[in-house]
Amino acid sequence: MIIDAVSVFPEMFEPVMSTSILGRARRAGLFEFHAHDLRDWTHDRHRTVDDEPYGGGQGMLMKVEPLAEAIEAIAAEGPRPHVVFFTPCGSPFCQATAERLATYERILLVCGRYEGMDERAYAFADERISIGDYVLTGGELPAMVVADAVIRLLPGALGDEMSNRDESFSTEDDGGLLEYAQYTRPAVFRDMAVPDILLSGDHAKVDAYRRADAIERTCRWRPDLIDAASLTPEERDRARTLIERYHGRQTSETE
Ligand code: SAM
């Protein structure tokens, strides 16, 4: 996979893209990463990428011409990238989006700054992504969040291929639930003991316990995920009871 980012602060990416799992996957050739400086597509002495908004208002906006030229030039290197713009007005980012983005041969992450972009720049976007209902100073952190979530899904990026399947929100085996609770040594810490069943060595019982725990944790902390989760009819009945217990009679999993 090839991941490109275009930004006025391209130097922000390298430490993240060369550290830990991402760095290892990159060195192993699982993905290429290129950070491009938007100012390379300006034509004035000051390398200007922003200007005042028409109609007045606070702050500066990113100009459309450098963004358009950058995207066209990067795309022309081929293969044509799937172009993602970051904005608080985009679709909320989630694991299913990461799974879809991981299937593209090449993605181009376009990072905003200042008060955002001239609206006409979005004509060059294949999609707009928000990483949450809050406002950051720039699109670089959102781009790194998305890149990290995508890269760890690439085959071979994590040592153990199964570790992606078990994780929270995974649309594979666990059907969109939160992950079950996990423990490591010691078996007892202060007065907190690891559940006996996890020490039993009985894999079938451990699997059943973890599945039930994943459902319980999801009902407790993210009941909004239960409707879309893959559950058996018996599990759905239990989920209804748990949601009622944790959130009261007024709250159903559809709220
Ligand atoms: N004026 C914009 C608004 O109210 O929607 C916010 C602009 S923000 C200060 C500057 C840039 O940061 C945006 O263009 C976007 O690229 C990035 N950004 C900020 N918050 C974001 C978020 N929650 N998700 C994705 N990108 C974000």
Side-chain angles (χ1 to χ4, degrees):
M1 179 176 207
I2 305 170
I3 303 176
D4 293 276
V6 61
S7 158
V8 283
F9 297 107
E11 66 279 10
M12 284 179 70
F13 290 89
E14 197 51 41
V16 170
M17 290 300 161
S18 55
T19 303
S20 184
I21 289 174
L22 304 197
R24 214 167 45 233
R26 190 176 176 194
R27 288 188 292 277
L30 299 185
F31 74 98
E32 277 177 35
F33 178 77
H34 309 285
H36 305 270
D37 188 344
L38 182 64
R39 293 186 198 279
D40 291 347
W41 287 278
T42 57
H43 303 288
D44 64 313
R45 200 158 52 89
H46 301 292
R47 309 183 82 208
T48 309
V49 291
D50 60 330
D51 206 340
E52 294 166 357
Y54 278 119
Q58 282 185 331
M60 302 291 272
L61 284 180
M62 293 180 81
K63 291 165 66 62
V64 63
E65 304 101 306
L67 285 165
E69 285 185 35
I71 293 165
E72 284 171 345
I74 294 165
E77 293 164 3
R80 189 201 175 279
H82 180 80
V83 182
V84 178
F85 276 47
F86 292 98
T87 162
C89 307
S91 305
F93 186 57
C94 63
Q95 190 65 20
T97 306
E99 289 169 7
R100 175 172 52 77
L101 291 177
T103 66
Y104 292 110
E105 184 180 4
R106 187 179 186 199
I107 56 176
L108 169 55
L109 309 174
V110 182
C111 307
R113 276 272 155 182
Y114 318 115
E115 284 306 312
M117 295 176 184
D118 183 314
E119 189 64 24
R120 293 167 293 184
Y122 292 106
F124 298 86
D126 292 312
E127 68 181 297
R128 308 176 193 199
I129 287 180
S130 163
I131 63 158
D133 291 347
Y134 42 81
V135 177
L136 301 166
T137 52
E140 290 77 11
L141 292 174
M144 286 186 255
V145 166
V146 167
D148 185 302
V150 167
I151 291 162
R152 67 197 302 290
L153 292 172
L154 299 177
L158 304 179
D160 174 2
E161 288 297 329
M162 292 304 287
S163 31
N164 265 320
R165 302 170 72 99
D166 271 358
E167 274 175 323
S168 299
F169 315 111
S170 168
T171 58
E172 291 194 38
D173 293 355
D174 285 323
L177 297 168
L178 298 184
E179 193 181 47
Y180 46 80
Q182 300 194 85
Y183 305 86
T184 184
R185 278 180 286 224
V188 180
F189 172 67
R190 301 195 179 157
D191 60 347
M192 294 179 280
V194 174
D196 285 342
I197 204 157
L198 298 179
L199 312 177
S200 69
D202 183 331
H203 294 301
K205 280 191 180 157
V206 168
D207 285 350
Y209 171 84
R210 285 178 166 169
R211 172 80 184 169
D213 194 40
I215 293 169
E216 170 141 7
R217 287 154 67 84
T218 309
C219 291
R220 184 168 187 181
W221 287 306
R222 292 293 306 275
D224 56 300
L225 297 175
I226 285 291
D227 264 356
S230 312
L231 301 179
T232 64
E234 297 73 39
E235 287 173 338
R236 200 158 286 287
D237 280 349
R238 181 164 167 266
R240 251 180 237 117
T241 309
L242 287 167
I243 289 172
E244 210 167 281
R245 182 195 304 160
Y246 284 120
H247 304 285
R249 287 189 179 279
Q250 307 306 318
T251 310
S252 84
E253 71 252 43
T254 53
E255 286 174 332

